[in-house]
């Protein structure tokens, strides 16, 4: 399959699921959303129905329709559309994997089940294997996020010999700050063409130096352009510029983290920056407060993240 | 509705979902299972599709069919069949709640969503309220299990004025050892006819003295008779007997906890004690090891938990 | 040694270390403090230099002087003065243990070291054994508080055969809510005359029913009288009164817990209730806020915990 | 004071405290240890009495003597000798700080107290300030290690305006993987000449790219030479070599982490590599197992970490 030949690299936006004020999915803006990512942010890969997309807050039928919409609207515009098909139920995860294959997605990603938990790496791999088998032609990505799953199994151990068990394995979304584990994933699999995608946006630079081949995150929806500047500087070995860009991004994330930063806030920020209405989240989340939105907007302006004119007079915080 | 009038009390078995060797649900033994609980264990209430039942490992359609089977087979035999309808997706939880009402279940229970988490008690109550509203005639129970959900909101705060928000609220399954929180749930709601069901089997006695009106747990599938003896002793204020029974139960639980005790092991133990084949669990769990089963069987025998002849010569561990 | 013959039982006050406004120890009020505990609270045992006493915030020489003062002032008034000699440094712990013996204390207690941590129960017991050996004639108590030490070793495993390793072992201060572990400590050591002292004041009743022989806590400084009423009701098998007393105590603790409750707040409350100036805590703690003190005082009044007239007209919260 | 003028940079070895088989400090080898660090590892700065040095397992008098020995033996050989003077007791910490000044140490470092914990950054800074005031002429370093202290206060918040409160503040030992926090410490203090020392050896490269000016760690005792090669490559912007060195170091750390890696194991490894007898640790630690030592030795050989001939035929693991 063609898609399995091209390697997923660079920035991957963890997509937001736009909703109406009543918490129903607002499919109508996804086409516009695709264009915005490509044209304004320079981001051509998406990770659909993940944490940022409230994937596990959607019903299985909703997840199918969201996936379809992204594949359809992304055709000839996006490089890759990866669908997160992880679920607590193996059967539902398999159904979603099969569906992703049917609609022509470019890959599937799976989080470790986190209610009843696998005891060891072998059981975890068996679970992942059963999901992968439902889409035997699709590239498979393991979504490692131990702080959320509460599972202590190291990614490096999951990757050990994984191709013998999961032939479609193509890479890892690593959402943790343990760069020993991440580094050893890279080091021990150098011969293989895996994608090592880092998932902690605020410290991406620290993973690039450790061998990351790309990144999946929510901030690439609205800071993709800025982050691409960092990637370019890093490629050119211009580390001081790369660090300036990273710090600039950190200033924003550090600011919102202190206010309380999650999916609700990401929806509010994306609405501000892109002008595309992302709407409120669905329960169990609640809409970001007005206070948050006002503070975030002021910060975005002070950092020139709304205009992206990187040098504005009298704007001391703006990043050179 | 009749069911809303009778209070849920005494022991409630958290039902196991029997499976075939291939991990498909084995509906055929549920009738026999009902009879066993009623006749051999003296347990007449069940909590279906909870943690022990691998509820979140089943697809929504499987959860519907399991619920139907328990309601059908339990008719005129069981006092109450409570269906756990909690899910990460509000829509799926609502679908399951409505279905529980349609099939004539006696109540629904809901765990707090634990992937994206409610920030505060109001958001949590809003989520629960939306689920309850899908089954407006069914008694509603909140399933409090902070160690699993990672949510720090105290049950006592959730219960504060909950009837104004959720008129069908009838009680609490409290699966935690914080008996300040549990005690204050009881103390602050004395005027109301709530069920205060404790969910930590190995220390039920400590909750009875704090006002528990019943208990929901996995061990009542096979230690229901023994636990009922403890409840009777407690009712008669025969505390030394009650404590003997509790210690006896603890000896078994303490033993298996050290071997690694979870749903897989519960299925193996129930198969041993009841003779009804519960089968293996579904991924992400794996079948209990042979070593576990052998050790558990030996312990059950030494404690007379297989025969329930409580006084056997030369059996020092047996409980008087 | 005489003291080793009498068993430590009933309530044990975890003593506060009175300080001046400048954070120096105020030895002058300890005599008055002893009289208050005995005469007003009916508490005749003390646990000195523990968590409540800021024991680990004091220098070794200060700990020695505080211990001396309690032993001296308690003579012929208190039943037992137990000195907490736990420290991160084995040598300092041994020095304090030897000193406790020299001054004629009635026992020593030791917390597991929690910076560098023992890997398993054997290493932990070796550490405790080395401390106990420095005071070979003094009763030894193990202070189990896993939430603080971060050590997962269960108390039941530490007690397994402990008398062969620590002949002076006399009991356990169990500061946790895992009543399976606590219950098995009691159940497995029934033949031995150990003291099983519970350390979670707000749920003491749940441990009494599980076999606790006494309690060590900070609230017994000012709620000793009320708690003794609970113990008496429990002895008389008057469980409904015992529960009323427990709930009454919980109402206060539940109230202050929500405001933020620790050693600083305990000092403020004790000053309010006893009239004896306990002063501020030493860094890294800071004095309880005025707001806390005002709120706590109002609550104490509404519960009649200042006057202890247990039935006051128009005082709905007051405990009957 | 001269020492306050020279900035602490490069590698700082967290020193081991050599002990006899009976757990007494073996002062006799410290001179040899100094020479080894300087001559064999190219490490000219030391951090004494920290975690690796079992500082909190020593008595205050032992800590004083160990500090004196390092200052004496390091004179004219080491660039800087920083003494960790953190303790649970402010008074003991102040005594150690004053002593460090008296013996002519080059700086002091302090961990946040972690038994009774500061509630907020202001209380923490007050505590640090009181310690710093006891050595008004010595550079002061804050030792940030939240995983050990359990304190959630971010380093970036502690550093905010710290020079107004602690004029002698000179830098940070940051032992955590949160590189948003670390990065913002660097970014927000660029004008100041602080030392930003990273404390997670296995991922030092990820911090160098984020602005680390040096590193403090236990592995620099025996992997200092190798790590210096990484620092040099990084300086020369030869990132692929730097990453090769980092991966090589990670292979060893990853290997021992899986076996169980702590201070005991560090002592065993250092004895193997340096030939200087470090002895066993003191309780509550126990000597590394023979099995660990054998496995570690084999791994060190396969990585050429014993010989440091970086290219050996037929040694596939050896790092180029």
């Amino acid at each position: 399959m063609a898609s399995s030949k091209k390697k997923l690299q660079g920035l991957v936006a963890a997509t937001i699921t736009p909703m109406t004020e009543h918490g129903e999915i607002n499919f109508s803006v996804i086409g516009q959303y695709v264009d915005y990512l490509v044209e304004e942010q320079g981001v051509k890969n998406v990770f659909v129905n993940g944490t940022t997309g409230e994937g596990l807050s959607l019903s299985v039928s909703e997840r199918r329709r969201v996936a379809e919409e992204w594949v359809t609207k992304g055709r000839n515009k996006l490089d890759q559309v990866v669908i997160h098909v992880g679920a607590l139920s193996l059967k539902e995860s398999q159904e979603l994997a099969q569906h992703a294959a049917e609609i022509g997605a470019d890959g599937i990603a799976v989080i470790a089940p986190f209610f009843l938990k696998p005891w060891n790496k072998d059981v975890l791999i068996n679970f992942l294997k059963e999901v992968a088998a439902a889409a035997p032609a699709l590239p498979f990505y393991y979504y490692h996020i131990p702080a959320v799953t509460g599972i202590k199994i190291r990614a490096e151990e999951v990757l050990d010999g994984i191709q013998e068990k999961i032939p479609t394995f193509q890479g890892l979304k690593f959402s943790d700050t343990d760069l020993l584990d991440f580094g050893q994933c890279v080091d021990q699999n150098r011969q293989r063409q895996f994608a090592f995608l880092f998932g902690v946006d605020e410290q991406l630079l620290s993973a690039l130096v450790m061998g990351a081949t790309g990144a999946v995150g929510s901030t690439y929806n609205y800071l993709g352009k800025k982050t691409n500047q960092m990637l370019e500087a890093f490629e050119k070995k211009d580390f001081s510029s790369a660090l300036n860009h990273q710090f600039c991004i950190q200033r924003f994330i550090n600011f919102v983290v202190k206010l309380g930063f999650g999916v609700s806030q990401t929806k509010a920020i994306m609405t501000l920056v892109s002008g595309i209405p992302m709407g409120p989240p669905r329960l169990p989340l609640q809409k970001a407060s007005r206070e948050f939105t006002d503070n975030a907007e002021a910060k975005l302006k002070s950092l020139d993240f709304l205009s992206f004119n990187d040098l504005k007079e009298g704007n001391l915080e703006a990043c050179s």
Side-chain angles (χ1 to χ4, degrees), chain A:
Chain A
M1 186 184 187
S3 65
S4 69
K5 288 188 180 45
K6 59 178 162 143
K7 182 171 170 184
L8 179 57
Q9 52 197 347
L11 296 187
V12 182
T15 59
I16 293 160
T17 300
M19 292 183 184
T20 66
E21 286 305 316
H22 305 85
E24 295 303 317
I25 299 169
N26 180 4
F27 293 96
S28 69
V29 300
I30 291 178
Q32 184 185 356
Y33 189 168
V34 169
D35 295 335
Y36 177 82
L37 289 175
V38 175
E39 294 159 20
E40 300 300 322
Q41 297 293 344
V43 173
K44 301 195 71 179
N45 302 295
V46 293
F47 183 87
V48 177
N49 289 334
T51 307
T52 304
E54 298 171 81
L56 293 166
S57 297
L58 307 179
S59 68
V60 168
S61 62
E62 287 178 316
R63 289 175 74 167
R64 294 167 60 110
R65 288 159 58 211
V66 170
E68 282 164 34
E69 192 68 12
W70 278 96
V71 168
T72 308
K73 293 296 193 301
R75 196 160 291 132
N76 307 322
K77 291 179 173 178
L78 296 172
D79 287 344
Q80 296 204 35
V81 177
V82 174
I83 311 298
H84 176 250
V85 301
L88 298 178
S89 164
L90 175 60
K91 281 184 181 282
E92 291 184 344
S93 201
Q94 289 171 318
E95 175 189 338
L96 291 165
Q98 192 175 344
H99 174 262
E102 288 161 7
I103 62 174
D106 301 291
I108 54 172
V110 177
I111 190 173
F114 50 90
F115 181 65
L116 298 176
K117 296 180 166 65
W119 283 355
N120 55 49
K121 74 163 198 163
D122 296 326
V123 188
L124 172 54
I125 290 168
N126 284 341
F127 182 93
L128 300 175
K129 183 181 177 177
E130 292 294 321
V131 179
L138 277 191
F140 181 92
Y141 301 90
Y142 166 51
Y143 180 9
H144 181 73
I145 181 165
V148 164
T149 61
I151 298 170
K152 303 268 165 284
I153 302 165
R154 302 174 70 236
E156 166 254 314
E157 296 182 0
V158 174
L159 263 58
D160 180 22
I162 194 164
Q163 276 183 318
E164 286 73 71
K165 297 157 194 151
I166 305 177
T168 53
F169 183 85
Q170 293 263 317
L172 174 72
K173 178 189 176 186
F174 190 92
S175 295
D176 192 46
T177 62
D178 178 351
L179 293 170
L180 169 63
D181 190 11
F182 183 74
Q184 285 305 288
C185 287
V186 175
D187 181 34
Q188 295 172 19
N189 295 281
R190 287 176 152 186
Q191 317 317 329
R192 301 170 192 81
Q193 287 307 305
F194 292 158
F196 298 105
L197 308 165
F198 195 60
V200 186
D201 308 11
E202 56 268 36
Q203 63 176 79
L204 175 55
L205 184 58
S206 66
L208 289 177
V209 75
M210 207 65 85
T213 60
V216 181
S218 66
T219 65
Y220 310 132
N221 283 293
Y222 52 91
L223 296 181
K225 185 179 173 185
K226 167 62 69 180
T227 307
N228 275 319
Q229 291 170 357
M230 181 176 82
L231 296 183
E232 288 150 23
F234 184 81
E235 280 311 306
K236 286 183 292 182
K237 297 199 170 189
D238 177 356
F239 292 95
S240 101
S241 296
L243 186 53
N244 277 335
H245 288 303
Q246 180 68 94
F247 281 161
C248 191
I249 290 163
Q250 284 194 339
R251 282 174 213 161
F252 179 71
I253 297 178
N254 197 47
F255 179 83
V256 290
V257 160
K258 290 181 184 177
L259 298 176
F261 184 51
V263 171
S264 309
Q265 291 68 32
T266 293
K267 289 186 124 171
I269 294 166
M270 182 60 172
T271 303
L272 279 171
V273 178
S274 69
I276 305 169
M278 293 296 153
R282 175 177 292 177
L283 282 165
L285 299 183
Q286 68 182 351
K287 194 172 182 174
S289 68
R290 176 73 206 216
E291 185 197 11
F292 172 87
T293 311
D294 292 345
N295 283 309
E297 183 169 18
K299 191 70 175 180
L300 287 162
K301 281 182 178 150
S302 77
L303 290 162
D304 288 333
F305 283 173
L306 287 176
S307 61
F308 293 99
N309 305 329
D310 280 342
L311 285 166
K312 245 194 201 153
E313 284 184 67
N315 190 339
L316 298 178
E317 256 196 321
C319 307
S320 53

